Amino acid sequence: MENNYLSYYLLLSALLFSIGLAIVIVKRNIIVVLMGIELMLNAVNLNLVAFSKNDPNLQGQMFALFVMVVAVCEAVVALAITLKAFEHFKTVNLDRINELKK
């Protein structure tokens, strides 16, 4: 990757992160919010790999792999919590899940 293309990757990453953040802020469905968080993590991965390609001394691929492993663990735990919340509240709407004890 040449240095000329680094700005395009950073722009794409910023766009993906902004879309993910907008999804997290605006949407009220738990599954859609989790998808927004995953989109933000993928934007960070794109940044890490782009910077790693630009400067070979950085270990961006290793950080990106670590972020992917953390994202998978986060998704598993979040989906388990979502299933338990759905079992208890009978909804995945975040506005209706607003109390800790029912």
Side-chain angles (χ1 to χ4, degrees):
M1 175 187 345
E2 296 178 10
N3 291 340
N4 300 343
Y5 296 112
L6 181 63
S7 61
Y8 294 123
Y9 285 105
L10 296 179
L11 184 65
L12 177 64
S13 177
L15 180 68
L16 286 175
F17 191 87
S18 300
I19 292 170
L21 184 63
I23 289 172
V24 169
I25 292 173
V26 172
K27 296 298 181 180
R28 292 291 138 216
N29 189 329
I30 294 175
I31 304 297
V32 177
V33 169
L34 290 175
M35 288 170 46
I37 292 171
E38 292 295 327
L39 192 60
M40 292 188 319
L41 287 172
N42 284 329
V44 170
N45 281 341
L46 183 60
N47 261 343
L48 289 171
V49 172
F51 282 126
S52 175
K53 286 292 187 182
N54 192 35
D55 185 9
N57 293 331
L58 293 175
Q59 297 298 319
Q61 282 100 356
M62 293 305 294
F63 285 126
L65 183 63
F66 179 72
V67 170
M68 282 188 241
V69 169
V70 169
V72 167
C73 296
E74 173 261 332
V76 168
V77 170
L79 286 175
I81 292 171
T82 302
L83 287 174
K84 282 296 180 182
F86 179 75
E87 185 179 299
H88 183 72
F89 292 104
K90 304 294 187 247
T91 185
V92 291
N93 189 347
L94 289 174
D95 289 334
R96 295 191 181 155
I97 303 174
N98 61 359
E99 54 191 43
L100 293 175
K101 203 179 242 187
K102 191 169 184 179

